[in-house]
Amino acid sequence: MRTVQSGASLHDATVVLDDRVILRAVNVVVGPGLTLVRGPNGSGKTTLLRALAGLVPLARGDRRLAGDVLYIGHRPMLLRGLSARENLEFFARFRGGDTRAIDGALRAWGVGEDMDRPVERLSAGERRRASLARVEAERVQVLLLDEPFADLDEAGAVRLRQTIARARDDGRSVVVATHAHPELDDLAKAWIALDDGDATAA
Amino acid sequence: MRTVQSGASLHDATVVLDDRVILRAVNVVVGPGLTLVRGPNGSGKTTLLRALAGLVPLARGDRRLAGDVLYIGHRPMLLRGLSARENLEFFARFRGGDTRAIDGALRAWGVGEDMDRPVERLSAGERRRASLARVEAERVQVLLLDEPFADLDEAGAVRLRQTIARARDDGRSVVVATHAHPELDDLAKAWIALDDGDATAA
Amino acid sequence: MTDTTISRGTPYWMPRIRPWLGIAAAASFVVASVMALFWAPTDAVQGNVYRILYVHVPLAWLAYLAFVVVFLASIGWLWTRNAVFDAIAVASAEIGVLFTGLFLVAGSIWAKPTWGVWWTWEPRLVTTAVMFVMYVGYLLLRGLSTDFSRRATRAAVFGIIAVIDVPIVHLSVLWANSLHQLPTVLRAAGSPALDSSMLLTLMVSLFAYTLIYAYFMSARVSLEVARQVRLWTT
Amino acid sequence: MIALYRIALVAARELRAERRQPDGVVAAVTFIAVLVLLESLVVGPQIARDADVASALFWLALAFATILATMRSFDRELEDDALEGLVALPGGRDALFGGKVLALAMVLVLVATVGGILSLVLLDLPVALPVHLIVVVLLGVLALPPIVIVDVVLALRLRARAALVPILALPVLVPQLVAATRGTSAALSGDAVGALSWAGLLFAFSVVYTVIGLTIVPAAIE
Amino acid sequence: MIALYRIALVAARELRAERRQPDGVVAAVTFIAVLVLLESLVVGPQIARDADVASALFWLALAFATILATMRSFDRELEDDALEGLVALPGGRDALFGGKVLALAMVLVLVATVGGILSLVLLDLPVALPVHLIVVVLLGVLALPPIVIVDVVLALRLRARAALVPILALPVLVPQLVAATRGTSAALSGDAVGALSWAGLLFAFSVVYTVIGLTIVPAAIE
Ligand code: HEM
Ligand SMILES: Nc1ncnc2c1ncn2[C@@H]1O[C@H](COP(=O)(O)OP(=O)(O)OP(=O)(O)O)[C@@H](O)[C@H]1O
Ligand SMILES: Nc1ncnc2c1ncn2[C@@H]1O[C@H](COP(=O)(O)OP(=O)(O)OP(=O)(O)O)[C@@H](O)[C@H]1O
Ligand SMILES: [Mg+2]
Ligand SMILES: [Mg+2]
């Protein structure tokens, strides 16, 4: 098998949930640059990202990883009770990094004023913005973003595209699963088309 | 004050959450046809829809309602443990309607095969589709849809636009809060622009 | 990341020896029953009721064995991710629960004439009941889990923890105010304090129940492996 | 009529979700069994077989089972905002309380029956007045859900929910639990008059709390 | 080192979320107080003041408080998939168990202190060996969280979770609860040797379960 310099890969990976095959012998190699995951509802995009992040047990096959992963799923994954800032500080410290970038990142994402309120009191879009600020606050090599445009307004979507473009230019591996947003195709280097558990790379 | 034939309205409505004013003396009258609610993240769209649906207490002002309301929020609002079909049957029966339309609606929304699986085992988009099938299954006069395009793939979005257009043509009152989707503007009859708790109608 | 290994079916010799295992189990069960009912001498104190011993004690020991097997198979699964270990664990847990239920009932029937009650609150009995509930919980946990590897992993973790109750049941008679028989056979000091023909009968019964356990295991494990194969090939 | 139909619908939905966990009731029963086992182990067999103590344990266990079951029911509702979907229906607010009480009462009757038989057998208790015992247990069981559900609704969306519910519920439950315990113990030991008068008190409790619940719960939900 | 630091971070996050609900600890303490009241009310003051019975009630209440607190902690994590965010971090899986055990043990020490003093005062119990009592209670409290957390992790995302956790946890806790009860009762009534040997057993329990938890819990989380 090949070696991967930076990024993540799945080899012959099969995922079974609820005794149903959700991903079928998938081979995916993600390297630096933007990889887009496309596919209709229920085709297995979320499962693929979770498999890359190691959040789902593989029934067969294996997963390789070079560098740390930042996975943001359909939900914002912030702990209720804590504020956005406290959540991001926890993540950054846990990775052994510093917390200096956090304030700036949250402010840039437009939640500067709300960053000390408990996250459950934020609107859906504000919560999404706070979780996307992690991309700047943690500066991790491999980014896995599942439908990150959901709930974002126009300004937020623009910022997210810039963020993705910048991460790509920095040589980070970015995997984005999303519907629509054809403008992302211009930034992408690779495509993974999912159909009912079968992946085709392009 | 005016009377409303079918639809919902808020008069001088102020909503306070967490000791902060979220909606400020808002006057909104929603009649038959499509009303679009626009505004950046955190401007109060969700709060407005919840106020129309009677889910949020008004600090001042009042709410009028003619006809039943179907409100679908950011989350799909289906009870875990039950299947999509069982959820929809419950809603339809509760309204005193029949359940004949349910199977067809779920099938039309592409969750025909999954309609007997517990909803928590569905993908995000499949869950969204199941909850949108309520629009056809319950046939209620006033529809309040909060960001209904989230998680839908292209085919789902097309279907949703058709559904909205049809509901409008049937003379139902449809209120949709959404970012982007400029193509909806062609269908709309009225616009409510929200900015930090202040509403301007257009 | 470790792969889940699925056996390609039961080893070829399994189905071949199973009938013989069944015959041996049945035969030794008949011999043990005859010995227990007719050959072993009547107890001086208890009369004939004591003969329940030959059911009660072997079943208790085999329940212990079954739960220790669950423990070992659980470690095996976590270590190797070979699905056959999960099959062994579930088979052994089910048989263990069955045997525990049976020796509880047998003990209870024995308790009525000797102690005057069906059930009483004393350490051995309570810890046994707790062990029973624990493994019923183990089976519940399995039943509620949905997909294969999660089920296997969660069950394995619990199977490892639950085994702690086996020594506790065994040692519970040493607690103060125990009504139950103190260790007479498996005791630390010296040889068994039991009449030699009684001891022989007990050993033959133990042998018979061990074969029954082995027979059940081979049948249940094959069934489970077949299910796994069906699941993974569709 | 329509109100009753809606209450029945909510109850049916609840019971269906409950039945999907085929061992839901089994679980609650096992829970009671474990508690009885545990307590008699730590308290000692003589004390545990006392009619007063046995009834007290049974009712405490049942109170916990009620609280757990209710919290589970609302946990399920809070996921994905399902509760909001129900409350947004016309009449949803009013049907919520009645439906939950009905469903929970049915589950608890089952749990109490099996758990009660288990306790009787496990503790080898003599029953002097079986019919009185059934009446007391039934009325005691019916008195539990209204108050627990009211408390859960009040605590809903408050952050310390899981811990708050027992705090709100238990003090209010104390009189009922005392009545149920005394009544059960009277029925076990043959005091017919005592059993019936406690049963009457329990009946009063359940009527009062049900009326309160039907009246104020709709207002308490947003 | 880094592993310990991460465990400390998880514990700190947990404690902070816990502190945000100013009534978290208060809640658990009230819970114990109510239980002690309730039991002494229904069981009768003579029996309730017996050293054995009082210790038994205290430990049962503490076991329930542990289960409730642990379930609440994980409920918070499941909302918005926060737990997944933690587990997806490098080393997150390994730090989870240790961090939760640490945080929960600290909360429980507080709860046990206040709850214990409350029980002593409310039931007017004489304490023969105060230092031994403190040692026993401390070790008993430290023995509770590991096993409860393991069981909550096992039942995570399963449907009958609220009912399954007590069923899985209570039987496993029985030996510890018996040891803690006996040890407490020995310390209350002046049996120094007894108290210390039970304390030793409790220490062994907490070490064994912590090691098991640290070893196998990471495998049990997906
Ligand atoms: C429901 C009631 C009973 C239960 C749950 C029970 C449980 C057990 C268990 C778990 C063992 C295995 C002991 C070990 O080796 O660790 C055992 C053994 C034994 N039981 Fe019972 N028992 C019950 C009633 C009785 C009664 C009524 C008697 C006789 C009066 C009795 C006599 C014995 C004897 C003689 C042994 C073998 C002890 C040895 O050699 O170690 N049991 N019982
Ligand atoms: N439960 C709550 N408690 C306190 N404040 C809240 C609560 N929910 C929302 N808010 C605040 O109210 C304001 C409006 O929120 P709302 O959810 O209505 O916005 P929105 O327009 O729907 O935003 P989005 O586009 O992100 O969905 C936001 O500033 C938010 O922080
Ligand atoms: N927990 C689960 N148990 C069983 N099946 C599941 C589970 N989660 C998802 N599935 C099924 O797996 C398939 C793929 O789901 P997945 O969430 O990966 O799809 P997706 O491509 O992300 O869809 P979407 O666009 O709707 O987000 C779907 O058919 C879904 O029903
Ligand atoms: Mg998805
Ligand atoms: Mg919104």
Side-chain angles (χ1 to χ4, degrees):
Chain A
M1 282 182 189
R2 275 157 299 179
T3 45
V4 187
Q5 357 132 246
S6 142
S9 60
L10 291 175
H11 303 280
D12 193 28
T14 294
V15 171
V16 180
L17 291 179
D18 221 6
D19 294 345
R20 295 173 1 135
V21 178
I22 309 291
L23 290 182
R24 199 173 295 103
V26 166
N27 282 293
V28 163
V29 181
V30 171
L34 173 62
T35 306
L36 279 180
V37 182
R38 300 283 194 185
N41 288 143
S43 54
K45 302 180 295 301
T46 299
T47 310
L48 180 72
L49 262 58
R50 284 167 48 84
L52 283 168
L55 287 170
V56 113
L58 301 183
R60 215 178 26 241
D62 62 355
R63 178 178 86 98
R64 304 267 170 89
L65 206 62
D68 282 353
V69 171
L70 170 55
Y71 164 68
I72 300 180
H74 280 285
R75 300 272 192 90
M77 301 183 159
L78 303 174
L79 185 66
R80 312 206 146 193
L82 300 191
S83 68
R85 189 217 299 264
E86 287 167 331
N87 264 295
L88 266 68
E89 277 173 2
F90 169 77
F91 288 124
R93 291 218 178 92
F94 200 96
R95 292 194 191 271
D98 58 55
T99 56
R100 274 169 299 170
I102 291 175
D103 269 39
L106 282 170
R107 236 183 294 269
W109 276 99
V111 277
E113 272 173 38
D114 295 315
M115 76 188 161
D116 289 315
R117 294 173 57 215
V119 288
E120 71 271 24
R121 310 275 175 85
L122 301 182
S123 83
E126 289 165 346
R127 245 190 322 251
R128 168 72 53 187
R129 284 159 173 265
S131 82
L132 287 171
R134 290 181 62 191
V135 173
E136 272 125 8
E138 292 169 42
R139 306 207 61 75
V140 160
Q141 275 309 308
V142 183
L143 297 175
L144 306 174
L145 308 178
D146 196 357
E147 199 69 64
F149 289 94
D151 296 322
L152 286 184
D153 58 15
E154 199 41 57
V158 169
R159 232 209 104 68
L160 178 56
R161 278 194 294 273
Q162 288 168 353
T163 308
I164 291 172
R166 221 172 6 243
R168 177 199 63 160
D169 298 340
D170 293 353
R172 294 153 91 184
S173 310
V174 187
V175 184
V176 176
T178 186
H179 306 293
H181 298 278
E183 72 279 10
L184 279 186
D185 286 329
D186 302 337
L187 303 176
K189 179 209 68 179
W191 288 261
I192 299 169
L194 275 172
D195 186 23
D196 206 13
D198 293 309
T200 10
Chain B
M1 285 187 187
R2 275 156 299 179
T3 44
V4 187
Q5 355 129 248
S6 142
S9 61
L10 291 175
H11 303 280
D12 193 27
T14 295
V15 172
V16 179
L17 291 179
D18 223 6
D19 291 342
R20 295 169 5 131
V21 178
I22 308 292
L23 290 183
R24 201 173 295 104
V26 166
N27 282 295
V28 163
V29 181
V30 171
L34 173 63
T35 307
L36 278 181
V37 182
R38 300 284 194 184
N41 288 143
S43 54
K45 301 181 295 299
T46 299
T47 311
L48 180 72
L49 262 59
R50 285 166 48 85
L52 282 169
L55 287 170
V56 111
L58 300 182
R60 211 181 35 239
D62 62 354
R63 178 178 86 98
R64 305 269 169 88
L65 206 62
D68 282 352
V69 171
L70 170 54
Y71 164 67
I72 300 180
H74 281 284
R75 299 272 192 90
M77 301 183 159
L78 303 174
L79 185 66
R80 313 206 145 193
L82 299 191
S83 68
R85 189 217 299 262
E86 287 166 333
N87 264 293
L88 266 68
E89 277 174 0
F90 169 77
F91 288 123
R93 291 219 179 91
F94 200 94
R95 293 195 189 270
D98 59 53
T99 56
R100 272 169 301 169
I102 292 176
D103 269 40
L106 284 169
R107 236 183 295 268
W109 277 99
V111 276
E113 271 174 38
D114 295 314
M115 75 188 163
D116 290 315
R117 293 174 56 214
V119 287
E120 72 271 25
R121 311 276 173 83
L122 300 182
S123 82
E126 288 165 346
R127 242 184 331 244
R128 168 73 52 184
R129 285 158 172 264
S131 81
L132 287 171
R134 291 181 61 190
V135 173
E136 270 127 8
E138 292 168 42
R139 307 206 64 75
V140 160
Q141 276 309 309
V142 183
L143 297 175
L144 307 174
L145 308 179
D146 196 357
E147 199 70 66
F149 290 93
D151 297 324
L152 287 184
D153 59 14
E154 199 42 55
V158 168
R159 232 208 105 67
L160 178 56
R161 278 193 294 272
Q162 288 168 353
T163 308
I164 291 173
R166 220 171 8 242
R168 180 198 61 159
D169 298 340
D170 292 353
R172 294 154 90 182
S173 311
V174 188
V175 184
V176 176
T178 185
H179 305 293
H181 298 280
E183 72 281 9
L184 279 186
D185 286 329
D186 302 338
L187 303 176
K189 176 210 70 178
W191 287 261
I192 298 169
L194 274 172
D195 186 23
D196 205 12
D198 295 309
T200 10
Chain C
M1 284 263 132
T2 25
D3 274 17
T4 303
T5 320
I6 301 295
S7 42
R8 255 175 273 105
T10 351
Y12 70 95
W13 45 266
M14 263 271 221
R16 284 200 214 156
I17 65 160
R18 189 172 321 121
W20 299 106
L21 200 56
I23 291 168
S28 56
F29 181 71
V30 170
V31 172
S33 306
V34 170
M35 284 177 77
L37 289 175
F38 306 109
W39 186 74
T42 307
D43 185 79
V45 188
Q46 300 188 17
N48 280 322
V49 248
Y50 98 94
R51 293 178 195 276
I52 294 178
L53 171 91
Y54 302 120
V55 179
H56 176 72
V57 178
L59 277 175
W61 289 343
L62 278 158
Y64 287 175
L65 174 72
F67 295 145
V68 170
V69 169
V70 173
F71 168 72
L72 295 175
S74 300
I75 293 179
W77 160 259
L78 289 180
W79 204 308
T80 65
R81 301 274 156 176
N82 187 329
V84 78
F85 284 116
D86 187 57
I88 294 174
V90 64
S92 198
E94 283 175 2
I95 300 170
V97 166
L98 176 71
F99 281 12
T100 307
L102 288 175
F103 87 73
L104 263 169
V105 170
S108 203
I109 293 171
W110 194 0
K112 189 65 185 173
T114 47
W115 302 338
V117 286
W118 295 105
W119 184 263
T120 173
W121 295 106
E122 67 91 50
R124 166 62 61 78
L125 272 56
V126 173
T127 48
T128 306
V130 166
M131 180 170 80
F132 183 66
V133 173
M134 222 165 195
Y135 283 92
V136 170
Y138 173 91
L139 294 177
L140 269 179
L141 177 65
R142 294 191 68 96
L144 286 168
S145 306
T146 48
D147 49 81
F148 179 79
S149 58
R150 289 182 206 211
R151 174 165 49 233
T153 303
R154 290 175 180 211
V157 171
F158 194 69
I160 289 173
I161 290 168
V163 80
I164 292 183
D165 212 43
V166 169
I168 288 177
V169 174
H170 179 64
L171 296 174
S172 60
V173 272
L174 304 179
W175 292 356
N177 63 46
S178 178
L179 259 181
H180 193 275
Q181 191 82 20
L182 291 172
T184 20
V185 186
L186 298 176
R187 51 186 205 155
S191 52
L194 202 67
D195 179 275
S196 65
S197 54
M198 287 184 180
L199 183 63
L200 181 62
T201 312
L202 183 61
M203 288 303 130
V204 173
S205 307
L206 182 63
F207 179 71
Y209 282 102
T210 309
L211 287 181
I212 292 175
Y213 171 76
Y215 175 72
F216 281 1
M217 276 300 279
S218 100
R220 184 67 182 83
V221 169
S222 314
L223 193 72
E224 191 64 22
V225 167
R227 268 175 48 177
Q228 290 172 359
V229 170
R230 204 166 352 111
L231 169 68
W232 294 82
T233 47
T234 48
Chain D
M1 264 325 288
I2 178 85
L4 287 185
Y5 173 66
R6 283 174 171 162
I7 287 180
L9 278 175
V10 173
R13 168 171 172 268
E14 180 77 27
L15 288 174
R16 177 172 283 164
E18 189 73 37
R19 208 184 37 195
R20 276 303 143 69
Q21 316 154 358
D23 19 40
V25 175
V26 180
V29 169
T30 321
F31 172 65
I32 292 192
V34 170
L35 203 73
V36 171
L37 277 180
L38 203 71
E39 289 234 25
S40 53
L41 193 67
V42 285
V43 175
Q46 291 86 339
I47 299 181
R49 284 192 54 201
D50 180 281
D52 278 350
V53 178
S55 333
L57 293 188
F58 175 74
W59 284 106
L60 272 178
L62 214 59
F64 273 109
T66 312
I67 292 175
L68 281 179
T70 312
M71 279 172 37
R72 179 161 48 134
S73 148
F74 279 92
D75 274 344
R76 201 161 41 207
E77 296 275 7
L78 287 181
E79 280 281 349
D80 279 337
D81 289 342
L83 184 63
E84 212 153 70
L86 170 54
V87 171
L89 292 173
R93 221 177 277 266
D94 304 301
L96 177 68
F97 176 78
K100 292 273 181 197
V101 168
L102 201 63
L104 197 61
M106 288 169 79
V107 169
L108 282 184
V109 166
L110 200 60
V111 171
T113 310
V114 186
I117 293 176
L118 256 174
S119 310
L120 289 181
V121 173
L122 285 181
L123 298 174
D124 194 18
L125 294 169
V127 182
L129 303 166
V131 178
H132 291 70
L133 183 66
I134 292 173
V135 171
V136 169
V137 170
L138 199 67
L139 288 172
V141 164
L142 295 182
L144 289 176
I147 197 69
V148 174
I149 290 177
V150 169
D151 286 331
V152 172
V153 169
L154 292 182
L156 217 63
R157 307 219 172 257
L158 295 189
R159 288 211 239 121
R161 195 160 56 85
L164 204 60
V165 171
I167 302 182
L168 291 176
L170 286 178
V172 189
L173 285 178
V174 167
Q176 289 174 56
L177 290 179
V178 171
T181 304
R182 293 281 157 80
T184 308
S185 152
L188 284 177
S189 52
D191 170 9
V193 180
L196 287 184
S197 55
W198 289 115
L201 188 59
L202 287 170
F203 181 68
F205 273 127
S206 59
V207 170
V208 169
Y209 285 124
T210 305
V211 170
I212 293 183
L214 286 172
T215 325
I216 63 168
V217 164
I221 316 165
E222 288 100 21
Chain E
M1 264 327 288
I2 178 85
L4 287 184
Y5 173 64
R6 284 173 172 165
I7 287 179
L9 278 176
V10 173
R13 168 171 173 270
E14 180 77 26
L15 288 174
R16 177 171 285 166
E18 189 73 37
R19 209 182 37 195
R20 278 301 145 71
Q21 317 157 353
D23 23 37
V25 174
V26 181
V29 169
T30 322
F31 173 65
I32 291 192
V34 170
L35 203 75
V36 171
L37 265 182
L38 201 72
E39 288 236 25
S40 63
L41 208 61
V42 285
V43 173
Q46 291 86 336
I47 298 181
R49 284 190 52 200
D50 180 281
D52 278 351
V53 178
S55 339
L57 293 189
F58 175 74
W59 284 105
L60 273 178
L62 214 59
F64 275 106
T66 313
I67 292 178
L68 281 178
T70 312
M71 277 172 42
R72 178 163 47 133
S73 149
F74 278 90
D75 274 343
R76 199 161 43 208
E77 296 276 8
L78 286 181
E79 279 282 348
D80 280 336
D81 289 343
L83 184 63
E84 213 155 67
L86 169 54
V87 171
L89 292 172
R93 219 176 276 266
D94 303 301
L96 178 70
F97 176 79
K100 292 272 181 197
V101 168
L102 202 62
L104 198 61
M106 289 168 79
V107 169
L108 281 185
V109 166
L110 201 61
V111 171
T113 310
V114 186
I117 293 177
L118 258 174
S119 310
L120 288 181
V121 173
L122 283 180
L123 298 176
D124 192 19
L125 292 170
V127 182
L129 301 167
V131 178
H132 290 70
L133 183 65
I134 292 173
V135 172
V136 169
V137 171
L138 198 68
L139 288 173
V141 164
L142 295 182
L144 289 176
I147 201 73
V148 175
I149 290 177
V150 170
D151 286 330
V152 172
V153 168
L154 291 182
L156 218 62
R157 289 185 197 284
L158 297 189
R159 288 210 238 121
R161 194 162 58 90
L164 196 61
V165 170
I167 298 179
L168 292 180
L170 288 177
V172 187
L173 287 178
V174 166
Q176 292 173 55
L177 290 179
V178 171
T181 304
R182 295 276 160 84
T184 308
S185 152
L188 284 177
S189 52
D191 170 9
V193 180
L196 288 183
S197 56
W198 288 114
L201 188 59
L202 286 171
F203 181 69
F205 272 125
S206 59
V207 170
V208 168
Y209 285 125
T210 306
V211 170
I212 292 184
L214 286 172
T215 324
I216 60 182
V217 164
I221 312 166
E222 301 95 22

